[in-house]
Amino acid sequence: MVPHPLVTRRTVRGSAVAIGALVAAPTFAVATFATDSVPKAAALAAACVVAPFLATTPIAAVAALACVNVSGLSDSVPFAATSTLVVAYGAIAFLWYFGELRVRWSPVYLGAAVFVATDLLSTIDAASADASMSQIRSNLRDLLSFVAIVLLLTSLRRFRVVAWCCVLTMAALTGLTVVHEFLLHDHGDIFGLSGVVGGGLDTTTARHLGPLSDPNFWARVVILSVPFALALAAFERRWLRVVALAAAVSMGLGVVLTQSRGGMIGLGVAVVLFLLLAGRRYAWTLLLLPIVFNLLLVAPLTGPRLDTIVNADQNASVDVSIQQRRIVSEIGVDLFEQHPILGIGVGNFPNAARDVAPDISTQDSTLLATHDLYLERLAEGGIIGLAGWLVFVGTALFALTRARVLFARARSRARSVEEWLAIGAFASIVGWSAASAFLHMAVFRSLLVVFAFAAALDIAARTGDERNLDPGSRVLAAPAPERAS
């Protein structure tokens, strides 16, 4: 679309913000009367001004959507998911109007389509079609955010900026848990951004869960951003490198404070894989791995939890969590054997578990989850359901691998920020997948942010040139050879 010559980005942005400001006052009055809460009314009034500004500033829109989703705030802050998604599609319309929206094909789109198709197939023999359709609708809403981030990243090519926003957001949230533990001694919940529960062998042990409802889910969410921080640390120079490393340390401590065994394992896998992919300059640090592991075993924060894994047989008789996981694992295997092809239908495991074992405790809904993403896919979707998920993950890993190869061919000396982020995203997905051997599906949108980076980086690598790559990258595509005169 060709805009009118008098219609510029500045005029559109100014007009949108002005209209929002005019609407803010009556919105505040109506919201105050309807909710009887001045803070909520003030937040809605502020949104009337901020939302138009974000929608007409695409880089701010995609950064806000990515940060809200990757941090899990979309599940805990009211209206955050919907408002940032609407703003993001407003930014997409803004880019389309000015002819700057780039729509490109990505194999990750195909993976998403296969994933949704296999979920739909599972409804054929579902125990409850309503439960399955509810889960599928939730996944489709999450995929809308994935598509929005891909379109905006592909059009803007500002990978470095968005990655920094995600890393700093996660570092701030995990930094709050560190302050909560060591300075506030676990009092309060810091406005709902740093909750604490008891768990493990000693039910009085503090387990931090950030803004989410479960410490294990929070640990897996944090894992996604750690390799991105390491990638930025490898790319940046001087004080920005120090900031990125500090963010990685903060997130590492955040995972430790969750006391999540699966989270600690997933974090270790992500960091080790990143160091391996980063090259010889960084891989030598893996020689310190045995020393680090032994220190973790004796450290008071990590030792007791890791010992339950190292000596699982000895602790199984006294660790309620291990006992419960074994029970639900057996239920999951039984359900898969009864429905090996299409499963019992996505979203049906809790109800099916109650039918198979009616005496199982139902005080906590998480006790009726598989605690294993792959077993969950087998039980609810059968072999086809697990295959659909593996195809989705595989397309993201394939896209990142191809992006790394193409960026490497284009560079002349040092790696570009895009290449480093491709390495980080690859390690993020593998680390998340490793932790998922101990956790069922939750906070899907956080993973989809990394999948969006995978799709957009692959598109940038295949169509990239000096105009289209991130201006923050010091190493761009190699120049085309000069024609012979």
Side-chain angles (χ1 to χ4, degrees):
M1 183 174 181
V2 180
H4 191 279
L6 296 180
V7 179
T8 65
R9 294 170 186 78
R10 182 174 296 179
T11 58
V12 172
R13 184 177 297 115
S15 300
V17 173
I19 294 173
L22 291 175
V23 174
T27 299
F28 177 79
V30 172
T32 302
F33 176 78
T35 64
D36 196 25
S37 172
V38 174
K40 290 182 180 179
L44 287 174
C48 291
V49 179
V50 174
F53 174 79
L54 293 177
T56 53
T57 311
I59 184 59
V62 67
L65 181 61
C67 290
V68 165
N69 286 347
V70 82
S71 63
L73 290 172
S74 58
D75 285 10
S76 55
V77 178
F79 308 114
T82 302
S83 58
T84 52
L85 182 60
V86 170
V87 165
Y89 277 99
I92 290 171
F94 180 81
L95 289 174
W96 171 78
Y97 180 77
F98 286 102
E100 296 178 359
L101 181 66
R102 296 184 179 91
V103 181
R104 301 287 187 272
W105 169 252
S106 168
V108 189
Y109 288 146
L110 176 61
V114 171
F115 168 66
V116 173
T118 54
D119 277 359
L120 288 171
L121 284 175
S122 74
T123 63
I124 294 175
D125 195 26
S128 170
D130 290 339
S132 293
M133 292 309 301
S134 176
Q135 183 62 55
I136 291 171
R137 285 193 294 268
S138 176
N139 291 341
L140 288 174
R141 286 194 297 268
D142 293 344
L143 287 169
L144 284 176
S145 295
F146 159 75
V147 172
I149 295 174
V150 174
L151 290 176
L152 289 171
L153 280 177
T154 301
S155 302
L156 300 173
R157 309 295 176 102
R158 303 294 297 275
F159 302 104
R160 181 186 179 209
V161 173
V162 178
W164 263 114
C165 290
C166 292
V167 165
L168 292 177
T169 299
M170 292 303 300
L173 290 173
T174 53
L176 283 179
T177 65
V178 175
V179 171
H180 200 185
E181 171 72 19
F182 297 107
L183 295 182
L184 302 181
H185 305 294
D186 300 330
H187 293 300
D189 62 1
I190 311 184
F191 305 105
L193 297 177
S194 180
V196 182
V197 295
L201 291 172
D202 179 3
T203 56
T204 63
T205 300
R207 300 188 63 190
H208 289 260
L209 43 85
L212 302 184
S213 60
D214 188 285
N216 297 308
F217 297 154
W218 176 237
R220 188 171 57 176
V221 165
V222 175
I223 290 170
L224 290 171
S225 297
V226 175
F228 278 83
L230 295 177
L232 291 172
F235 172 77
E236 302 289 0
R237 297 292 181 268
R238 299 184 179 88
W239 66 273
L240 282 178
R241 170 172 289 185
V242 176
V243 172
L245 287 174
V249 171
S250 174
M251 287 184 274
L253 285 173
V255 173
V256 168
L257 290 175
T258 65
Q259 296 289 296
S260 171
R261 291 165 289 200
M264 294 179 196
I265 292 173
L267 177 63
V269 170
V271 172
V272 169
L273 181 58
F274 177 85
L275 294 174
L276 285 173
L277 297 176
R280 287 177 295 180
R281 181 180 177 184
Y282 301 91
W284 69 268
T285 56
L286 295 176
L287 297 175
L288 303 174
L289 189 60
I291 299 174
V292 173
F293 181 71
N294 281 283
L295 289 174
L296 291 175
L297 284 176
V298 299
L301 278 176
T302 56
R305 296 292 286 176
L306 291 177
D307 182 67
T308 61
I309 300 175
V310 176
N311 300 303
D313 293 336
Q314 299 177 14
N315 291 287
S317 60
V318 293
D319 193 320
V320 176
S321 175
I322 294 178
Q323 295 175 11
Q324 192 69 46
R325 288 170 188 267
R326 287 183 175 179
I327 293 173
V328 294
S329 294
E330 292 172 359
I331 294 173
V333 171
D334 289 341
L335 292 173
F336 166 64
E337 291 175 347
Q338 295 171 21
H339 306 268
I341 306 300
L342 296 176
I344 59 174
V346 293
N348 276 274
F349 185 86
N351 291 330
R354 290 189 183 96
D355 294 337
V356 174
D359 295 333
I360 191 171
S361 172
T362 57
Q363 294 178 357
D364 184 353
S365 61
T366 61
L367 298 180
L368 292 176
T370 58
H371 298 285
D372 182 338
L373 172 62
Y374 309 103
L375 180 58
E376 179 184 45
R377 294 297 301 178
L378 281 173
E380 294 188 344
I383 295 174
I384 293 178
L386 178 61
W389 174 254
L390 295 178
V391 168
F392 192 17
V393 175
T395 54
L397 295 178
F398 166 77
L400 289 168
T401 301
R402 181 165 64 180
R404 284 180 53 216
V405 171
L406 294 178
F407 284 132
R409 288 178 182 174
R411 60 181 161 95
S412 56
R413 294 189 304 276
R415 286 186 174 123
S416 64
V417 68
E418 295 86 8
E419 188 176 351
W420 276 116
L421 290 176
I423 293 173
F426 193 100
S428 291
I429 294 173
V430 174
W432 189 96
S433 300
S436 295
F438 308 92
L439 297 170
H440 52 283
M441 178 64 79
V443 202
F444 187 33
R445 290 191 183 194
S446 297
L447 177 66
L448 289 179
V449 173
V450 184
F451 278 27
F453 265 91
L457 285 167
D458 178 48
I459 292 170
R462 288 185 284 118
T463 62
D465 55 34
E466 189 164 341
R467 289 180 318 226
N468 292 333
L469 283 181
D470 188 338
S473 175
R474 287 190 292 272
V475 183
L476 301 174
E482 296 181 359
R483 293 183 178 181
S485 56

